[in-house]
Amino acid sequence: MFVNCGMTESRSLEFRAPNVPMRRHDQCPLLDFVLVNFGFTLRATDMDSPSLSRRPTAEVVPITRLLDLGSHTLSVLALVSFILVLWPLITGAPVSSKPGWSEAVLVLTAAMATLAALARILPGQKVLLVTVVISLLGGLVHGLGAKTAFPFGPFVYSVAAGPQFFNALAWPIPLIWIIAILNTRGVAKLMLRPWRKLRSYGFGLIGLTATLVMLFDLALEPFAAHANHYWRWLPTKFPVTWYDAPLVNFLGWLLTALLILVFTTPALTLKT
C-alpha cells in the first residue's frame, strides 16, 4: 500500500514500535501520525522494490487536521459561551429564563477545547492521564476544603453551583482545575521561552504556572462567589479578604497547583 504525495518516488507504510526515532517527512506530513490506541506508528519509508510499487493507492486519514478542526470549533463555542455569560452582567438582561446554563456550557466547552488542543501535541494516553490526575487531585482537595476548611478556608456551596459529588464537591470544580492548570502552563511557557535552555527552566515553569493559577482564582472569586454566589465564604479571623475570600484561599490554590504539577509535569513534557 502506498500513498502518492506529489513526490517523484513511491512511499509505503510500515509499522514501527513505540519510542523508535522516526524521520519526519516535511513534504508529506500527514503520513507521520500516531495511532495511540494501538501503540504503533504508521510512517512513510522509501521503497525501491518494483513489485511493491504496483500496490493500489489508499487515502490516509488526516488525524491532525481533525484534531485542529475539533480544537478550533470548541474554542469558538467557548468564546460564544463566554459572551453569553458576560451579556447579563453588562446589559442586565438575562439570556435565558434558566439561570446558570450559559456558565455550565462555558465550563464544558472551555475544558473540551483545552484538552483538544493538548491532544494536538501529546499522545492520547498522556492526555487521558493528565485529565484524570488534574480532575482527581483538584476535586479531592476542594472536597476536603468544603468539609474541613483546609486549605482554602471555610466555605459552602450554594444551589446555584449545581449538583454536587458526595455533597462536598460542585461538579464544575474538576473541570475548572483542568482549564486553570493547562492554560496557565501554556502562558507560562510563552513567558519563559527566552530562558527555556536554562537548567532551572523546569522548576521556573512549575513555579510560574502555580502563581498564574493563584491569579486565575483571584479573578474568579468576584465572579463566582460575589456576583453569582456559587459558593459562600464563612467568617474567619483573617482581617483582610478579597470579595469575602480569605487570603489563605489563594495560598491553598497555589499549593494545590504545585501538587498537581508535580504529578502531571512528566506527562506534559515533550520528549525530544
Side-chain angles (χ1 to χ4, degrees):
M1 180 174 61
F2 68 92
V3 179
N4 187 358
C5 296
M7 305 172 65
T8 58
E9 61 199 16
S10 300
R11 298 186 178 272
S12 66
L13 296 179
E14 71 174 15
F15 293 101
R16 180 182 64 85
N19 302 323
V20 176
M22 180 176 64
R23 178 168 61 84
R24 298 295 302 174
H25 294 267
D26 297 331
Q27 294 177 317
C28 190
L30 293 182
L31 292 180
D32 289 325
F33 63 91
V34 179
L35 297 182
V36 175
N37 295 330
F38 299 94
F40 58 83
T41 301
L42 294 177
R43 72 178 180 90
T45 57
D46 295 331
M47 70 177 178
D48 301 322
S49 173
S51 60
L52 292 177
S53 62
R54 291 193 296 268
R55 294 182 181 180
T57 60
E59 292 292 335
V60 178
V61 179
I63 301 298
T64 54
R65 289 188 178 180
L66 292 177
L67 289 175
D68 289 346
L69 177 61
S71 177
H72 295 157
T73 302
L74 289 169
S75 297
V76 171
L77 292 176
L79 178 60
V80 172
S81 301
F82 182 67
I83 295 174
L84 293 177
V85 169
L86 289 182
W87 184 258
L89 297 177
I90 297 175
T91 64
V95 177
S96 172
S97 59
K98 295 182 178 180
W101 73 268
S102 56
E103 289 86 350
V105 173
L106 173 60
V107 172
L108 288 171
T109 53
M112 293 173 63
T114 300
L115 294 175
L118 186 65
R120 296 166 62 188
I121 58 177
L122 289 179
Q125 67 267 27
K126 285 192 174 184
V127 176
L128 178 60
L129 176 62
V130 167
T131 302
V132 171
V133 171
I134 295 177
S135 57
L136 185 61
L137 288 179
L140 285 175
V141 174
H142 247 93
L144 177 67
K147 290 295 185 181
T148 66
F150 175 82
F152 306 108
F155 70 95
V156 291
Y157 292 110
S158 68
V159 178
Q164 300 180 25
F165 299 107
F166 308 107
N167 200 30
L169 179 67
W171 72 266
I173 298 299
L175 298 180
I176 290 176
W177 273 108
I178 291 174
I179 296 169
I181 291 290
L182 296 179
N183 286 282
T184 55
R185 187 176 185 273
V187 174
K189 288 178 67 176
L190 292 176
M191 295 174 64
L192 295 177
R193 185 176 178 83
W195 301 278
R196 65 186 183 277
K197 298 296 183 181
L198 298 179
R199 295 175 63 107
S200 58
Y201 169 79
F203 295 102
L205 180 60
I206 291 176
L208 181 57
T209 301
T211 302
L212 292 177
V213 169
M214 182 183 66
L215 295 177
F216 170 85
D217 182 56
L218 196 72
L220 177 66
E221 289 298 334
F223 170 79
H226 192 74
N228 289 284
H229 308 290
Y230 294 137
W231 54 79
R232 180 170 58 89
W233 291 101
L234 304 179
T236 65
K237 297 180 180 179
F238 297 99
V240 181
T241 62
W242 172 258
Y243 288 90
D244 299 328
L247 297 184
V248 69
N249 167 64
F250 305 107
L251 178 62
W253 274 77
L254 177 69
L255 296 177
T256 305
L258 287 173
L259 175 66
I260 292 174
L261 288 167
V262 166
F263 285 96
T264 57
T265 295
L268 290 170
T269 303
L270 291 173
K271 305 297 183 182
T272 58

